[in-house]
Amino acid sequence: MAKNKAKQNKEFGVGSIIALVIAGLVLIGILAGVVLYVHSGKAGISQSAGLITGVETQVATENAAGADQTDADAADKESKGKSTASGEAVTKEAESVTAEESASKKEESTKASSKASSGGIVYQSKVTSKQLGQYYDTDIDAFRKAYDGKTVTVTGKLTGKSPKMLYVELATGTKVPMRVYLESEEQRTQFNALKEGSTITVKGSLGILYPQSMDAGGFQEMANGLIALDSVTLVK
């Protein structure tokens, strides 16, 4: 009986040890599971944080690239605008130059045509009495086409006065007299104050008379025609 009891006690001691070992293993397994769970959670958080950071970085990069592209588009648009404006300015300038050249050519053509039709005599607003006398002697008809009825400013030497007829004469260097007809006593007084031989400048409307036959009682100097200046004002 004593042997049986000792045997039971021995079996009970071995069973207790086995139970303790198993309990220890279970506890270790539980602890290992907890550690693995915690580690897995931290890794997930770290991975999530890394993912979020990566997304934010990508978004920031894309935004920066978009801003750069916008700036580039704006700069390109501005450059194109300036280029277009510059091109338009150049085109307008070229058109202006072309228009001026065309106007100049047209004017030259008109002058050439006028010169050809007037026997080489071209109207000038300012001339000398000698020039007018030479034109008259060269071609009376051409001279009349160019000057008859035109307003001109004539400079010449005062060579004669006619108080009764209200005119003064300017030297032409030819047999053709140039008479400056006065319209009032006031003008006569003004011109009479001028010395013969002095150079004067007058402005008026030019008229040309052809040579004509004169009777014994007429003005013999009219036989060669006459250059007349009416509606006169004294310039100097």
Side-chain angles (χ1 to χ4, degrees):
M1 186 174 178
K3 290 180 178 181
N4 290 335
K5 191 175 182 179
K7 187 178 180 180
Q8 290 177 349
N9 289 334
K10 185 177 180 181
E11 291 176 354
F12 178 75
V14 172
S16 296
I17 293 169
I18 292 171
L20 289 173
V21 171
I22 291 172
L25 292 174
V26 171
L27 182 60
I28 291 171
I30 292 172
L31 289 174
V34 170
V35 171
L36 290 173
Y37 176 78
V38 171
H39 180 73
S40 176
K42 289 182 178 180
I45 291 172
S46 177
Q47 184 176 3
S48 299
L51 179 61
I52 291 172
T53 302
V55 170
E56 290 177 348
T57 302
Q58 183 177 0
V59 170
T61 303
E62 290 177 353
N63 288 339
D68 291 341
Q69 184 63 37
T70 301
D71 292 342
D73 292 341
D76 184 57
K77 186 176 181 181
E78 183 179 359
S79 177
K80 287 181 179 179
K82 289 182 179 180
S83 177
T84 302
S86 177
E88 290 176 353
V90 171
T91 301
K92 288 182 179 179
E93 185 177 355
E95 290 176 351
S96 177
V97 171
T98 302
E100 290 178 359
E101 290 178 350
S102 177
S104 178
K105 289 180 180 179
K106 186 176 181 181
E107 184 178 356
E108 290 177 359
S109 176
T110 302
K111 285 183 178 180
S113 176
S114 175
K115 188 173 181 179
S117 63
S118 61
I121 297 173
V122 180
Y123 166 75
Q124 300 176 69
S125 61
K126 294 182 180 181
V127 291
T128 66
S129 57
K130 287 187 176 182
Q131 281 179 308
L132 295 177
Q134 290 170 356
Y135 292 160
Y136 192 101
D137 275 354
T138 301
D139 190 330
I140 300 175
D141 290 337
F143 178 40
R144 187 169 191 171
K145 287 180 182 179
Y147 279 92
D148 196 20
K150 302 290 180 63
T151 297
V152 291
T153 299
V154 185
T155 299
K157 185 176 289 186
L158 183 62
T159 58
K161 302 176 185 179
S162 177
K164 292 182 180 180
M165 297 297 295
L166 289 180
Y167 72 79
V168 296
E169 288 189 355
L170 299 181
T172 63
T174 68
K175 294 180 180 180
V176 182
M178 178 172 182
R179 288 184 180 174
V180 178
Y181 287 95
L182 312 177
E183 297 181 353
S184 65
E185 287 294 329
E186 183 180 355
Q187 280 190 326
R188 182 177 68 174
T189 301
Q190 182 185 30
F191 277 84
N192 278 341
L194 302 174
K195 294 180 179 181
E196 289 192 19
S198 62
T199 299
I200 65 171
T201 300
V202 289
K203 183 177 181 180
S205 177
L206 197 73
I208 297 98
L209 299 178
Y210 288 101
Q212 49 192 294
S213 299
M214 295 292 170
D215 58 25
F219 298 100
Q220 296 301 316
E221 66 268 23
M222 291 287 290
N224 295 316
L226 178 69
I227 303 172
L229 198 65
D230 295 314
S231 304
V232 176
T233 56
L234 181 64
V235 178
K236 64 178 182 177

